[in-house]
């Protein structure tokens, strides 16, 4: 058994990569974030997104739509490899900050059906965590039992891991201050929403969902939807701006209200 409940931190692709340039890591940000994570007192599980590594490949080969053409096989392989490369950067940054990080490859232990997790073999990850290792997982190209292949988003993964590993809390890092009434990069008048609950969400979901995103995994509205499912199981989550120095450090040290809280209300 894990004695202390782990804290799950998702590093968004928008924070650790430059989404405008294929395969570009934000090295300085990643180094800083690894240092901030090293301040944590609880066991950590890290999940990261695909950013400019996973998404261009996945969308070029239509991986999220499932298998329909033999040419997608190289696409699946390339998408996974792109994620492994980004993962290597993340793991190395964490190691340099003194964290004993180890990659756990989602596509080797997870199956999905219609894009939703069907099974995930977490015994090794659980054992590593008990030992004091920081497991590092990521959004990945995975086998889909109904569509042949698919994309497992980091956002779906954090929620599944939180349930299975009995997480204390989830911190989701993005490059804006939290969830706004509209995309703050497009609408200057967008207002930051401090708390979202299963009750308040239906009233605010529409404009947020309409904003969509460049990603194959559904953007901000999708994050909120995934996290709300967890709020219903009484695990709180917060979406914070990790592009700003020390916000993640304060969050891992227990501070609340730094971004948008997703709670039961
Ligand atoms: P990541 O890849 O880091 O997980 P995403 O790119 O999927 O993150 O989501 C973060 C982005 O969502 C922000 O950069 C922001 O521009 C965009 N976005 C769209 N709609 C909203 C909204 N209503 N509130 C906040 N951000 C939004």
């Amino acid at each position: 058994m894990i004695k202390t409940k782990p804290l799950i931190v998702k590093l968004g692709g928008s924070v650790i990569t430059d989404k405008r340039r294929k395969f570009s890591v934000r090295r300085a940000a990643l180094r800083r974030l690894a240092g901030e994570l090293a301040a944590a007192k609880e066991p950590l599980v890290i999940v990261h997104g695909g950013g400019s590594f996973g998404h261009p490949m996945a969308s070029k080969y239509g991986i999220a739509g499932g298998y329909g053409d033999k040419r997608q096989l190289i696409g699946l392989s390339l998408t996974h490899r792109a994620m492994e490369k980004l993962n290597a950067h993340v793991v190395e940054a964490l190691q340099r900050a003194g964290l004993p990080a180890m990659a756990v490859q989602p596509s080797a232990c997870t199956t999905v059906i219609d894009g939703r997790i069907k099974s995930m073999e977490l015994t090794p990850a659980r054992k590593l965590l008990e030992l004091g290792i920081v497991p590092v997982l990521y959004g990945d190209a995975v086998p889909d039992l109904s569509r042949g292949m698919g994309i497992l988003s980091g956002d779906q993964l954090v929620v599944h891991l939180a349930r299975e590993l009995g997480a204390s809390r989830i911190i989701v890092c993005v490059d804006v201050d939290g969830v706004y009434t509209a995309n703050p990069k497009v609408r200057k008048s967008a207002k930051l929403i401090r708390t979202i609950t299963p009750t308040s969400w239906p009233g605010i979901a529409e404009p947020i969902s309409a904003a969509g995103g460049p990603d194959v995994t559904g953007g901000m509205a999708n994050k909120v939807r995934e996290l709300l499912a967890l709020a219903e199981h009484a695990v709180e989550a917060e979406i914070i701006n990790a592009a700003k120095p020390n916000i993640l450090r304060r969050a891992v040290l227990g501070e609340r209200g730094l971004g948008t809280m997703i709670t039961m209300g």
Side-chain angles (χ1 to χ4, degrees), residues 20-68:
R20 292 161 309 179
R21 288 172 43 223
K22 258 191 209 170
F23 308 119
S24 86
V25 184
R26 292 191 194 277
R27 287 170 193 275
L30 189 52
R31 202 177 315 122
R32 173 179 58 75
L33 292 170
E36 294 184 26
L37 284 167
K41 307 267 188 287
E42 301 155 81
L44 286 174
V45 176
I46 310 289
V47 176
H48 66 84
S52 66
F53 281 70
H55 294 292
M57 283 293 159
S59 97
K60 178 175 174 191
Y61 290 95
I63 306 299
Y67 181 76

Side-chain angles (χ1 to χ4, degrees), residues 159-199:
V159 171
H160 184 81
L161 291 170
R163 277 206 201 108
E164 294 297 312
L165 302 175
S168 59
R169 214 178 140 213
I170 295 185
I171 300 170
V172 174
C173 301
V174 291
D175 65 343
V176 291
D177 285 350
V179 184
Y180 286 76
T181 49
N183 187 347
K185 288 188 184 160
V186 179
R187 286 261 180 94
K188 291 290 165 239
S189 61
K191 300 249 172 338
L192 182 63
I193 304 167
R194 286 290 176 190
T195 309
I196 299 177
T197 68
T199 325

Side-chain angles (χ1 to χ4, degrees), residues 4-265:
T4 318
K5 290 179 165 193
L7 174 63
I8 301 192
V9 179
K10 155 108 195 284
L11 299 174
S14 64
V15 186
I16 59 172
T17 73
D18 180 349
K19 286 196 175 183
R20 292 161 309 179
R21 288 172 43 223
K22 258 191 209 170
F23 308 119
S24 86
V25 184
R26 292 191 194 277
R27 287 170 193 275
L30 189 52
R31 202 177 315 122
R32 173 179 58 75
L33 292 170
E36 294 184 26
L37 284 167
K41 307 267 188 287
E42 301 155 81
L44 286 174
V45 176
I46 310 289
V47 176
H48 66 84
S52 66
F53 281 70
H55 294 292
M57 283 293 159
S59 97
K60 178 175 174 191
Y61 290 95
I63 306 299
Y67 181 76
D69 179 332
K70 213 172 152 201
R71 277 170 305 186
Q72 287 174 293
L73 296 179
I74 191 69
L76 187 76
S77 166
L78 287 167
T79 305
H80 171 67
R81 183 71 190 129
M83 287 309 300
E84 276 192 323
K85 286 182 184 163
L86 177 57
N87 178 254
H89 286 283
V90 175
V91 169
E92 281 164 23
L94 294 168
Q95 287 171 336
R96 275 189 219 111
L99 289 167
M102 254 174 91
V104 172
Q105 180 187 327
S107 47
C109 59
T110 317
T111 56
V112 302
I113 292 186
D114 286 334
R116 305 301 301 175
I117 296 174
K118 165 72 176 146
S119 70
M120 188 165 191
E121 175 51 67
L122 281 172
T123 312
R126 207 174 272 120
K127 287 288 157 201
L128 290 170
L129 190 57
E130 282 175 23
L131 197 63
I133 293 289
V134 177
V136 185
L137 299 95
Y138 45 94
D140 202 358
V142 295
D144 187 311
L145 301 186
S146 61
R147 303 175 186 166
M149 57 177 68
I151 296 295
L152 170 60
S153 74
D155 296 316
Q156 187 185 157
L157 203 46
V158 283
V159 171
H160 184 81
L161 291 170
R163 277 206 201 108
E164 294 297 312
L165 302 175
S168 59
R169 214 178 140 213
I170 295 185
I171 300 170
V172 174
C173 301
V174 291
D175 65 343
V176 291
D177 285 350
V179 184
Y180 286 76
T181 49
N183 187 347
K185 288 188 184 160
V186 179
R187 286 261 180 94
K188 291 290 165 239
S189 61
K191 300 249 172 338
L192 182 63
I193 304 167
R194 286 290 176 190
T195 309
I196 299 177
T197 68
T199 325
S200 75
W201 178 240
I204 52 178
E206 207 190 312
I208 298 171
S209 308
D215 287 2
V216 289
T217 51
M220 192 52 93
N222 196 52
K223 275 183 226 314
V224 177
R225 269 186 224 106
E226 297 283 2
L227 295 170
L228 277 172
L230 201 62
E232 283 167 2
H233 289 79
V235 180
E236 64 170 59
E238 185 156 1
I239 299 178
I240 60 162
N241 189 347
K244 288 185 180 164
N246 289 320
I247 301 288
L248 178 60
R249 185 192 307 271
R250 288 162 62 190
V252 298
L253 289 173
E255 199 171 325
R256 310 293 206 269
L258 294 161
T260 301
M261 305 271 303
I262 318 278
T263 66
M264 260 312 271

